[in-house]
Amino acid sequence: MRTWFLCKVKYAKENEQGLLKNISEQYLVDAVSFTEAEAILYDRLASQIRGDFQVTGISKSNIVDVFFYEDADIWHKCKISYMVADGESGKEKKVTQYMIVTANDVKEAYDRIQESLGNMLVSFRVPDIVESPIVEVFPFERDEVAEQLPEGNFRPVSEVKQSEEITQDEE
């Protein structure tokens, strides 16, 4: 399961009159820890923001899924609720989850979340959709991790364990 971190970044941005104005923006980062989320932000934003910037806050987000559509750049936070049966007691339990989707307006966000969740096996409701202050989302990208690894004789852990077991059996 992914862990999304909501990160706040503060920096000075030049406005139309050429004056510097301090602004704060929110980013959503898929990472395994707070440290990795901060490292991803510094890596990605260094090329986007001119001058210095500071990560002023990182917190775990309650967002469970992200749906990106290229034709829109406004993120909308959608509250999704559905009922599931408790395996032990058999009673129904209400589950509430939050997801974000890019859309130009709330109606389009509703349509897109309905389309994205159309394959769910249970019926769901969308009781709330609000425009989110999130500027950009940085999902986990496997290729970036591979690029960061130094060259070497790397093998999958399963192969290493297998060769250790063979060695132990021979002794």
Side-chain angles (χ1 to χ4, degrees):
M1 186 170 169
R2 292 182 152 185
T3 304
W4 292 98
F5 291 89
L6 189 59
C7 307
K8 294 179 184 171
V9 176
K10 188 178 257 185
Y11 65 97
K13 185 176 186 176
E14 192 174 317
N15 64 13
E16 294 84 28
Q17 291 82 28
L19 300 172
L20 290 178
K21 181 180 177 185
N22 286 330
I23 64 166
S24 184
E25 294 180 334
Q26 290 186 15
Y27 295 87
L28 192 66
V29 179
D30 180 15
V32 294
S33 67
F34 290 88
T35 305
E36 184 186 29
E38 184 176 16
I40 289 169
L41 271 179
Y42 276 105
D43 182 54
R44 299 279 183 87
L45 295 180
S47 62
Q48 293 181 15
I49 297 176
R50 279 196 338 208
D52 292 337
F53 62 91
Q54 182 180 20
V55 177
T56 58
I58 299 177
S59 60
K60 280 191 177 181
S61 172
N62 59 0
I63 294 171
V64 296
D65 216 341
V66 172
F67 301 104
F68 176 72
Y69 290 83
E70 289 190 19
D71 65 340
D73 60 353
I74 301 170
W75 290 97
H76 291 79
K77 188 173 183 179
C78 305
K79 180 179 181 180
I80 312 299
S81 61
Y82 55 92
M83 303 297 278
V84 294
D86 185 4
E88 294 176 16
S89 67
K91 294 181 180 178
E92 282 199 336
K93 178 181 161 184
K94 183 179 180 180
V95 175
T96 300
Q97 294 183 327
Y98 294 90
M99 301 172 189
I100 61 171
V101 62
T102 53
N104 293 308
D105 56 35
V106 173
K107 182 184 180 330
E108 188 175 49
Y110 177 81
D111 293 340
R112 287 182 172 179
I113 206 74
Q114 289 285 344
E115 174 188 328
S116 298
L117 299 177
N119 61 352
M120 278 185 69
L121 299 176
V122 295
S123 59
F124 62 92
R125 291 185 44 237
V126 185
D128 190 30
I129 298 177
V130 295
E131 191 173 313
S132 170
I134 293 170
V135 175
E136 194 169 348
V137 173
F138 298 122
F140 174 76
E141 293 181 12
R142 180 174 224 93
D143 295 340
E144 286 182 8
V145 174
E147 288 174 13
Q148 293 174 1
L149 290 174
E151 289 191 32
N153 187 16
F154 295 109
R155 299 184 317 189
V157 174
S158 59
E159 285 181 22
V160 174
K161 286 182 179 177
Q162 206 172 32
S163 65
E164 287 175 357
E165 290 171 2
I166 292 171
T167 306
Q168 289 175 353
D169 290 343
E170 291 174 355
E171 294 175 359

